[in-house]
Structure formats: C-alpha cells, structure tokens
Amino acid sequence: MSRRTKTGAHARGFVLESFLSECSESVNRALDRFLPKATAKPATVHKAMRYSLFAGGKRMRPALCLAAASACGGTDQAAMPLACAVECIHTYSLVHDDLPAMDNDDYRRGKLTNHKVFGEGIAVLAGDALLTQAFEIAAQCRGWPRYPHQQIIRELAYAAGSLQLIAGQVADLEAEGRKVSAAHLRYIHERKTSALLCCAVRLGGMSANCTPRELEALTDFGFHVGLAFQVIDDILDVTQTTEQLGKTAGKDTQAHKATYPSIVGLERSRQIAAELTRKSFMALKPFQGKARALEALAEFLLKRDR
Ligand code: GRG
C-alpha cells in the first residue's frame, strides 16, 4: 500500500492489477454516493443512468485521473469528484453513441445497450442527465490555488463540447462511407477519444495543484495515450470477438468507418500505437520515476485485449 494514496501509486513494487481493482472499487463507491438513488423520482431515468454507469466499464479515465494526481503528490480523495465527473461524461457519450441515430448498437459493456432496455427517449434523457450530473459532481471538488472551480468546470466543458468530443463525433458521423485521409482520421480520434482521456489526466494533476510544467507534461502524456487508446480500439474492433469486447465486434468495417487498420493496415496501426505510447512515456520524464502508475497504465492500454 502506498504512503500517499490508497491506490498505491507510489508503492515500491507497483502492481497495476491492485491499483486498477482498488481504483474501480473506490470510484464505484464514490459514484454511488454522488448519483441520485435508483428509487429517486423519476425512478426510470435514475435506474437508466445507473444501469449504464455500473455496467462494468474498465474505469480507465478515473484511473488515469487518480494516477496523475498521485504523480503530482496529490490524493485520491481530492481527485475523486473529478475522476467521477469524467466517467459520467464518458458514459453519457457511450449511451448516446449507441442510439439508433448514431452507431445503433445492441451491446455495450457486455450488456444490452441503454435504449434496448429503457427505450430511446429515456436513453437520450439518461445520457443528458449523466452529462449534467458530471458538472454537479465536479463542482463539489475542493478547488485549488492554481486551479479554482471556474477553471475546473471550463476544462470539463471544453473537452465535452463542440470543439472536442462532439466535434469528433460529428466528424466521425460525416466520414461514414467516405474516403478519409490519415490526417482527417487523426483529427477525429484526437477529439472523439483523446480529448476526454487527456482531460482526465490534466484534472488529476490540477487536483494536486500541480505546477505549470507538470501540467504541460501531463497534457503531452494524456494526448498521446488518448490517441493510442483509439488506435488500439480500432485494432481490437477487427481482431477481437463480441464476447471479448462486450460490444459488437467488426462494427467499424460493417459501417464502412474510417479506422487506422482500414487506412494504413493492421501492422502499421500496431506500430503507430506503440510509437504513440513511447511518446507518452517520454512525456513523463520530468516526473523522475514518480509517475509509475501512469507509466504502467500506458503500457497496459497498449497491450489490452478489450
Ligand atoms: C450528443 C447525441 C450526442 C451524442 C454524443 C460524443 C458522443 C456522442 C460520442 C463520443 C464518441 C465515442 C463513443 C468515442 C469512443 C471512445 C471510446 C474508445 C470508448 C470506449 O471506451 P472504453 O473502452 O469503454 O474505455 P468502457 O466501457 O470500458 O468504459
């Protein structure tokens, strides 16, 4: 167990499995506290929010947030509202992404998608409510001398807004069935996926009142690890089964979506993911060994199979 954080990021013999399972448990407990009870009126929407939030996601964004806090000498407790806020935004984006008007998917996180269980209307509202909930949770953070509440809220809104997450989704929708250049695909991936992962890392640093130099290093790390995450997601879509992924495999090919494997091939995609991960390691140099959880997470994300 670590001297500084419950999740043990500073422990000498760092074990990623324990870090991830402790992180998932503490994030699940915190989300349960932050969210309205499933029985709160109107129960349908609260049940639907909780259904997707507790459906068994990997909790990678909260893990990155807590690991970044630890790298900067912060605590899980201070970072927790921000880790939970990012997970709510991520879950909202999945609920909406699965809707018939978007990717039209039946399975997510190994379970039926939200609209398949609750109907489209409630799924739209549950997604909206999760997005809104994220800001209510984030507003409960302590606020720090270098990063007051205003900056924290702005950070989240920017990552989730029409220049980042939504921009990526719009570009993704508009690219379906069209020939897309590698540069445009990177534009999509940077926004659709990297922006929120990078935001999770930055918010972790902010919760430790990190220095501007630390924030710059975390941004560099988050950007590259986030981009690698989506390249790997593209690879897994063509190499894994639906059972392994917990969501429909082969969906990108079916929808004639531009992906790294479809544009540059599987082997080159693997090289690109490894190169991006190498860049994310380089970004952590200023932490001089204090970012072991972030390093271990980047390596884990490169090798993940779901
Ligand atoms: C506003 C109607 C409306 C929709 C917005 C913004 C948006 C929909 C969707 C975001 C696009 C999206 C779903 C990007 C994919 C990012 C990605 C790789 C998700 C999977 O993340 P994991 O593997 O999932 O971390 P788990 O389930 O483990 O949390």
Side-chain angles (χ1 to χ4, degrees):
M1 190 65 70
S2 148
R3 289 182 304 274
R4 292 194 192 183
T5 69
K6 222 180 152 217
T7 41
H10 281 182
R12 221 166 234 284
F14 180 70
V15 184
L16 184 69
E17 288 73 24
S18 335
F19 173 80
L20 284 176
S21 66
E22 283 178 28
C23 169
S24 279
E25 279 170 30
S26 56
V27 167
N28 287 347
R29 276 196 303 273
L31 282 169
D32 186 45
R33 277 198 310 273
F34 282 128
L35 247 75
K37 296 266 172 283
T39 49
K41 210 170 167 180
T44 333
V45 79
H46 296 126
K47 280 197 185 104
M49 289 162 76
R50 283 172 170 269
Y51 174 81
S52 290
L53 204 50
F54 296 108
K58 296 184 290 295
R59 305 294 194 226
M60 283 303 139
R61 292 148 190 83
L64 285 164
C65 183
L66 299 186
S70 168
C72 302
T75 65
D76 289 359
Q77 201 192 2
M80 195 55 82
L82 307 182
C84 289
V86 172
E87 187 65 14
C88 285
I89 293 179
H90 167 57
T91 306
Y92 125 77
S93 81
L94 300 181
V95 171
H96 279 192
D97 187 53
D98 290 334
L99 286 167
M102 300 271 166
D103 260 10
N104 191 18
D105 226 314
D106 292 353
Y107 291 97
R108 171 71 68 180
R109 294 176 164 174
K111 295 170 80 172
L112 281 172
T113 43
N114 200 291
H115 65 275
K116 284 276 158 192
V117 177
F118 297 94
E120 279 180 50
I122 292 295
V124 169
L125 293 167
D128 291 342
L130 281 166
L131 175 60
T132 315
Q133 186 73 54
F135 290 92
E136 192 186 325
I137 297 173
Q140 293 173 56
C141 76
R142 199 189 292 160
W144 297 272
R146 289 193 186 98
Y147 311 102
H149 286 91
Q150 183 197 23
Q151 195 168 339
I152 299 289
I153 298 298
R154 199 170 171 204
E155 180 82 21
L156 264 181
Y158 179 70
S162 62
L163 291 173
Q164 296 292 320
L165 183 63
I166 302 281
Q169 183 74 349
V170 170
D172 194 47
L173 270 179
E174 290 177 348
E176 261 178 44
R178 293 198 184 165
K179 200 167 159 27
V180 165
S181 68
H184 190 59
L185 183 62
R186 190 172 159 123
Y187 167 93
I188 296 174
H189 284 17
E190 279 175 14
R191 282 153 188 82
K192 191 177 87 166
T193 308
S194 180
L196 194 58
L197 280 144
C198 188
C199 170
V201 174
R202 281 172 54 89
L203 286 173
M206 290 178 178
S207 76
N209 197 36
C210 68
T211 64
R213 189 154 174 255
E214 285 172 328
L215 189 62
E216 202 181 311
L218 289 176
T219 308
D220 194 10
F221 171 82
F223 172 80
H224 286 104
V225 100
L227 207 45
F229 189 91
Q230 185 58 55
V231 178
I232 294 152
D233 205 69
D234 286 0
I235 295 172
L236 294 178
D237 185 70
V238 288
T239 56
Q240 302 298 98
T241 64
T242 298
E243 289 67 36
Q244 276 165 319
L245 295 180
K247 61 180 179 181
T248 317
K251 203 70 208 306
D252 296 340
T253 321
Q254 227 178 63
H256 303 290
K257 268 204 176 174
T259 64
Y260 271 80
S262 75
I263 291 187
V264 301
L266 207 48
E267 219 23 66
R268 181 72 192 117
S269 302
R270 289 197 174 108
Q271 285 167 1
I272 291 173
E275 178 62 14
L276 289 166
T277 305
R278 195 189 62 77
K279 285 187 178 159
S280 74
F281 277 129
M282 298 285 290
L284 295 177
K285 272 200 163 166
F287 291 101
Q288 298 175 333
K290 280 189 288 169
R292 298 189 63 192
L294 287 177
E295 284 171 14
L297 278 168
E299 196 184 344
F300 171 79
L301 291 176
L302 178 68
K303 294 182 178 156
R304 74 195 170 101
D305 58 9
R306 73 180 185 103

